[in-house]
Amino acid sequence: MDDHSIKEPFFPSQGVKKKPPFVSLVKWVLKTVMWAVFVSWVALIFLYPTQFGNDLFEKYVFTTGTAFGLTGSVFLVFSGPILVIAFLAIIRLIISGEENFQDWKQASKRPSVRLWTFPVLVDGPFGVVSAAEIIGILLFAVYIIWAVYAYTMRNLSFMSKYDISQSRSIWLVKHTGLGFGSVGQFCLAFLFLPISRGSILLRLIDIPFEHATKYHVWLGHLTILLFTLHGLFYLIGWAMEGNLLRKIVHWRDIGIAILPGVISLLAGLFMWVTSLPGVRKWNFELFFYTHQLYIIFVVFFALHVGDFIFSISAGGIFLFMLDRFLRFCQSRRTVDIISASCLPCGTVELIVSKPENLRYNALSFIFLQIRELSWLQWHPFSVSSSPLDGKTHLAILIKVLGKWTEKLRGNIINASDEAKPQDLLLLPHPKITASVEGPYGHEFPYHLMYENLMLVAGGIGISPFLAILSDILHRIREGESCLPKNIVVVWAVKKSDELPLLSTIDMESICPYFSEKVNLDIQIYVTRESNPPLEEGKVLEIRSCSISPLSNGCGISVLVGTRHKIWSGLYVIASTIGFVVLFGLLDILYINPHKISTWWYKGLLFLLCMFASMFIFGGLVIGLWHVWERTNAIEQHTHDRIKSDQLPCNEDVAKKDLSQNESTSSTSSSAIQYGLRPDFKEIFESLSKQWGNVDVGVIVCGPPSLQSSVAKEIRSRNMRRQSPDPIFHFNSHSFDL
């Protein structure tokens, strides 16, 4: 047996480059500065509701100021920190380069508990919540309680010191509403950050969009609750005054414009109601379309509060706008569907064209639009192929579950039936006009961080795990860095007609000698069949149709692909600097000379500057990015063609290696059990005895009930763990909007 046996993690020494010492120093300095900025920002947010914090802020804003007046000062204090962190994150990601698995292995020799992968809450309204997420929830809860208390004490103190011209009860009710609105404003500053799919901040902390979505959901509930209380208290106060209707439709020039606030709140409430789990499950299209009201919500919120109050939460909104515009530019491209296949279990496999320089991870996903089905709907799907499977394509598996997927499968089957062999030369092949956003995913492929890996899938949840297995086998074959040496796959399906999904990956073809490098155990549970099908050995038919390439022959645009750090960084920096320049020129050349004082109008101008900087300065970078993409694609294609003529093909290498190791017996195994569900207590007990005191990465992709079952068992075992037992790390790869 060769040096890279299954007794040791597969880790080639060749090609491992050590980073210069100054790189680590610069990264440490940048990390320290980012933490200092973030802690200072959070401390300011906590202090602001107090009388001391408010006095300190007013003293700074009104005495020092900036070149852009009051709005510039507020923007610098409250939105500036998040943009500074984004700039520093860009620099840190660029100098970090590719992560080294060898460094990670040296730093994690001993099994250890990690807050991000330790499930604490399992059953409840929040789903599976890790220890790190619990800390974040508690911090937000503490802030809300503290802020409400601080505003209440400020109001009571003010009432005791000064004479109030109107009824004290009315004044207290209205100012309590003002406090709720101020707290909601700071929640709004965070609300859009988790749904910026390609956000540099999410890449910095390595939280992919599908994980961050639930943070947006939590913040959305909290923000709408606070804004609703804000509006409700004011309605009560106006009703007590007897001028409710007149106040609601009032749109003043100096001060808060009430009618835009009412419109903004109604849009927010409509989005919130249609996003509730029951409504979303009943009619996803209703949720999707009404959620586009966020534009109305933001625009009328800016008109409601004016420019300098809106600038408190403008930083997070601006980063979301940049991400949304970048996704819009990427999705304008029509992408080739190379082939489409319909499996008998009701699953569609699409092979999508991509450029060679598009980078993604095995746990990435894309958003797909099929124009023959809908011009508006976008649906997320996990990538089922490894980035090493092919340079010019990627694959996705689509389970038929709703109207959109049913129409897609029907179109493919109909096209296949109509395209008879004798007509293929005379009739044009059917087309699927597709657009793609993404791919999105982890900055760091965390499935390669564990020597011991457990993959738990339910139904179509096997799709990303096919990509993981393919990725690991390709890395073994090509001699690239790869930690996993023990892999257990637990797959629960309803019926045996779903089993052909495994045939979409041919492990022996990818790496014929993989059993020497990795122990692979596949456990399949067919839950709704008590016995195997009568037609044993029957090959299930796969219906497919050929999709002719589009005239442009385009692959997925690289604008939003993972790991494009320099261009995405330039885009953010150029747009931000452009916004500052445009707003400064507007202030100097228009607002000040003409003495513009209307709050809602200045709020509108502030928003227009944000949009203009995105289109002008960001659009310029995107244009240059497109030119670089085309040039790089041509050079890469030429280089690969020359290289392919000079080097032996991979198949020859594989055959050579196979002949050297053909005497070795296989250590992989698979078993199918009918009429049973996975007994995770028994499975985890068996793995504990087999693997011992190690870190075990557990990745789950499936329905919430499956995630809860696995998380509950992991929590139980980690909490009563003995020294010889492993530590299980829970990771969810399920995407649920």
Side-chain angles (χ1 to χ4, degrees):
M1 186 174 293
D2 62 10
D3 295 336
H4 301 310
S5 70
I6 57 176
K7 297 181 180 179
E8 295 294 334
F10 181 70
F11 235 113
S13 57
Q14 68 270 18
V16 176
K17 297 181 181 179
K18 263 196 167 183
K19 293 187 176 73
F22 77 89
V23 173
S24 299
L25 177 62
V26 173
K27 288 173 61 178
W28 179 84
V29 171
L30 290 172
K31 183 178 180 179
T32 303
V33 174
M34 282 188 287
W35 269 111
V37 173
F38 179 74
V39 171
S40 301
W41 183 45
V42 172
L44 176 63
I45 293 175
F46 266 82
L47 282 176
Y48 183 74
T50 66
Q51 189 63 48
F52 169 77
N54 189 66
D55 293 342
L56 184 65
F57 170 72
E58 289 185 355
K59 180 180 179 181
Y60 166 78
V61 168
F62 290 106
T63 59
T64 57
T66 67
F68 309 125
L70 177 61
T71 303
S73 299
V74 177
F75 182 83
L76 179 64
V77 172
F78 288 107
S79 292
I82 198 66
L83 296 176
V84 169
I85 293 174
F87 287 3
L88 296 177
I90 292 168
I91 299 173
R92 191 176 190 276
L93 288 174
I94 291 175
I95 66 174
S96 294
E98 297 295 330
E99 294 290 343
N100 196 331
F101 293 99
Q102 188 79 20
D103 295 340
W104 187 91
K105 180 193 173 191
Q106 295 297 330
S108 349
K109 285 186 176 179
R110 292 185 179 181
S112 58
V113 175
R114 298 166 200 150
L115 296 179
W116 281 110
T117 59
F118 189 95
V120 177
L121 297 180
V122 176
D123 297 315
F126 294 107
V128 178
V129 182
S130 68
E133 292 167 344
I134 284 289
I135 294 174
I137 292 173
L138 290 176
L139 285 176
F140 262 96
V142 168
Y143 168 69
I144 298 301
I145 296 172
W146 159 252
V148 172
Y149 167 78
Y151 278 119
T152 303
M153 297 306 296
R154 277 176 55 185
N155 292 337
L156 294 176
S157 175
F158 189 88
M159 288 178 62
S160 64
K161 289 182 180 179
Y162 303 99
D163 292 330
I164 307 300
S165 58
Q166 57 182 288
S167 170
R168 287 178 174 266
S169 58
I170 296 177
W171 186 92
L172 182 60
V173 167
K174 292 166 65 174
H175 278 73
T176 301
L178 177 62
F180 280 119
S182 299
V183 179
Q185 172 97 347
F186 288 110
C187 292
L188 183 63
F190 291 91
L191 179 62
F192 288 91
L193 294 178
I195 53 169
S196 300
R197 298 175 186 172
S199 169
I200 201 74
L201 298 177
L202 294 181
R203 294 171 65 182
L204 172 68
I205 56 182
D206 200 21
I207 296 181
F209 171 64
E210 73 270 18
H211 289 188
T213 302
K214 62 180 178 181
Y215 308 145
H216 170 73
V217 173
W218 299 347
L219 285 168
H221 290 311
L222 178 60
T223 304
I224 292 299
L225 173 63
L226 291 169
F227 281 153
T228 302
L229 291 173
H230 164 70
L232 184 61
F233 272 84
Y234 268 99
L235 289 176
I236 294 173
W238 295 331
M240 293 170 66
E241 291 177 337
N243 58 355
L244 177 60
L245 294 178
R246 185 174 63 85
K247 281 288 188 180
I248 287 179
V249 298
H250 190 52
W251 191 323
R252 69 178 72 172
D253 290 336
I254 307 299
I256 301 296
I258 299 173
L259 182 57
V262 173
I263 297 173
S264 178
L265 180 58
L266 290 175
L269 287 172
F270 199 29
M271 286 191 293
W272 175 72
V273 170
T274 55
S275 66
L276 294 175
V279 179
R280 191 171 68 243
K281 187 175 181 181
W282 168 66
N283 194 326
F284 180 84
E285 285 77 11
L286 179 64
F287 154 74
F288 177 81
Y289 293 132
T290 56
H291 231 63
Q292 310 311 310
L293 291 174
Y294 74 86
I295 300 174
I296 302 296
F297 175 78
V298 171
V299 170
F300 279 89
F301 177 77
L303 300 178
H304 172 57
V305 298
D307 57 335
F308 76 93
I309 298 179
F310 178 75
S311 63
I312 293 176
S313 53
I317 295 174
F318 185 59
L319 290 177
F320 169 76
M321 288 170 54
L322 295 181
D323 177 78
R324 187 65 191 88
F325 180 62
L326 192 63
R327 291 190 281 118
F328 173 81
C329 293
Q330 184 195 34
S331 64
R332 294 309 91 197
R333 172 179 292 186
T334 300
V335 178
D336 288 346
I337 301 295
I338 299 175
S339 69
S341 303
C342 292
L343 304 180
C345 58
T347 300
V348 173
E349 182 183 38
L350 297 182
I351 309 297
V352 183
S353 175
K354 76 172 188 69
E356 296 182 12
N357 60 334
L358 178 70
R359 299 182 179 182
Y360 66 97
N361 295 326
L363 282 171
S364 297
F365 67 95
I366 64 173
F367 278 80
L368 179 69
Q369 178 203 60
I370 304 295
R371 296 181 183 176
E372 284 78 8
L373 305 181
S374 173
W375 279 80
L376 298 177
Q377 292 187 41
W378 292 82
H379 294 264
F381 300 103
S382 295
V383 175
S384 61
S385 61
S386 163
L388 302 177
D389 275 330
K391 294 182 178 181
T392 59
H393 70 272
L394 60 81
I396 57 174
L397 292 173
I398 303 173
K399 180 70 174 180
V400 177
L401 295 173
K403 296 179 181 178
W404 188 89
T405 49
E406 286 178 357
K407 289 170 64 177
L408 173 62
R409 186 173 187 270
N411 286 2
I412 295 173
I413 291 177
N414 292 336
S416 178
D417 292 339
E418 293 173 3
K420 299 178 181 179
Q422 61 269 26
D423 298 332
L424 290 179
L425 297 177
L426 302 176
L427 299 177
H429 294 288
K431 290 183 179 180
I432 294 181
T433 309
S435 296
V436 172
E437 287 184 9
Y440 307 101
H442 278 273
E443 189 72 17
F444 187 73
Y446 68 93
H447 63 280
L448 301 176
M449 293 165 45
Y450 301 101
E451 294 182 10
N452 306 279
L453 198 58
M454 179 180 179
L455 309 176
V456 183
I460 195 60
I462 195 66
S463 176
F465 298 157
L466 298 177
I468 286 180
L469 293 176
S470 177
D471 193 52
I472 292 173
L473 296 179
H474 274 291
R475 288 176 178 273
I476 292 174
R477 175 175 172 172
E478 302 298 333
E480 297 188 15
S481 299
C482 183
L483 272 178
K485 64 174 182 177
N486 297 307
I487 304 174
V488 172
V489 180
V490 179
W491 185 26
V493 297
K494 294 179 180 179
K495 296 184 178 181
S496 56
D497 61 358
E498 296 185 57
L499 298 182
L501 290 176
L502 280 177
S503 65
T504 58
I505 171 177
D506 188 349
M507 291 182 282
E508 290 291 343
S509 175
I510 296 174
C511 185
Y513 51 93
F514 74 90
S515 57
E516 295 185 6
K517 314 295 183 181
V518 61
N519 287 322
L520 177 61
D521 181 17
I522 302 177
Q523 303 175 20
I524 303 175
Y525 296 83
V526 183
T527 60
R528 296 190 180 180
E529 292 180 2
S530 56
N531 296 298
L534 295 178
E535 303 86 354
E536 283 194 48
K538 179 181 178 181
V539 178
L540 296 173
E541 178 188 5
I542 298 179
R543 306 192 65 180
S544 64
C545 73
S546 174
I547 306 301
S548 63
L550 300 175
S551 57
N552 292 335
C554 293
I556 301 174
S557 170
V558 301
L559 290 182
V560 194
T562 56
R563 300 184 187 176
H564 288 276
K565 302 169 184 176
I566 296 179
W567 280 110
S568 58
L570 287 175
Y571 170 68
V572 174
I573 293 174
S575 299
T576 306
I577 294 176
F579 167 67
V580 174
V581 170
L582 287 179
F583 181 71
L585 292 175
L586 182 71
D587 197 65
I588 295 172
L589 301 178
Y590 178 67
I591 294 178
N592 289 335
H594 294 82
K595 297 181 180 180
I596 305 296
S597 59
T598 304
W599 283 29
W600 66 265
Y601 181 56
K602 292 174 69 176
L604 179 62
L605 293 176
F606 190 89
L607 263 180
L608 290 176
C609 284
M610 295 170 66
F611 278 106
S613 64
M614 178 181 67
F615 280 105
I616 299 173
F617 296 90
L620 176 62
V621 174
I622 290 175
L624 296 175
W625 196 345
H626 272 299
V627 173
W628 170 85
E629 177 187 357
R630 288 195 297 268
T631 305
N632 194 48
I634 295 173
E635 293 178 354
Q636 184 68 37
H637 178 72
T638 304
H639 177 267
D640 288 344
R641 188 171 60 182
I642 296 174
K643 187 177 179 180
S644 63
D645 294 337
Q646 297 175 347
L647 296 179
C649 66
N650 290 333
E651 292 182 2
D652 296 335
V653 177
K655 291 177 182 178
K656 179 180 178 181
D657 289 338
L658 179 60
S659 63
Q660 294 174 352
N661 300 289
E662 59 186 1
S663 61
T664 305
S665 60
S666 173
T667 57
S668 63
S669 63
S670 61
I672 304 178
Q673 301 188 50
Y674 290 86
L676 296 175
R677 295 182 181 275
D679 186 344
F680 290 110
K681 184 175 182 180
E682 180 182 336
I683 294 173
F684 278 93
E685 183 68 31
S686 174
L687 293 181
S688 297
K689 294 179 180 179
Q690 180 180 350
W691 290 344
N693 184 22
V694 295
D695 283 309
V696 179
V698 182
I699 307 178
V700 185
C701 186
S705 57
L706 180 66
Q707 297 183 55
S708 298
S709 300
V710 175
K712 188 180 297 182
E713 187 62 31
I714 289 177
R715 181 184 62 181
S716 174
R717 292 201 164 270
N718 286 349
M719 293 184 69
R720 55 185 175 85
R721 172 182 176 269
Q722 303 296 324
S723 56
D725 297 332
I727 295 179
F728 294 95
H729 300 273
F730 178 84
N731 299 274
S732 172
H733 188 67
S734 299
F735 188 91
D736 184 23
L737 275 176

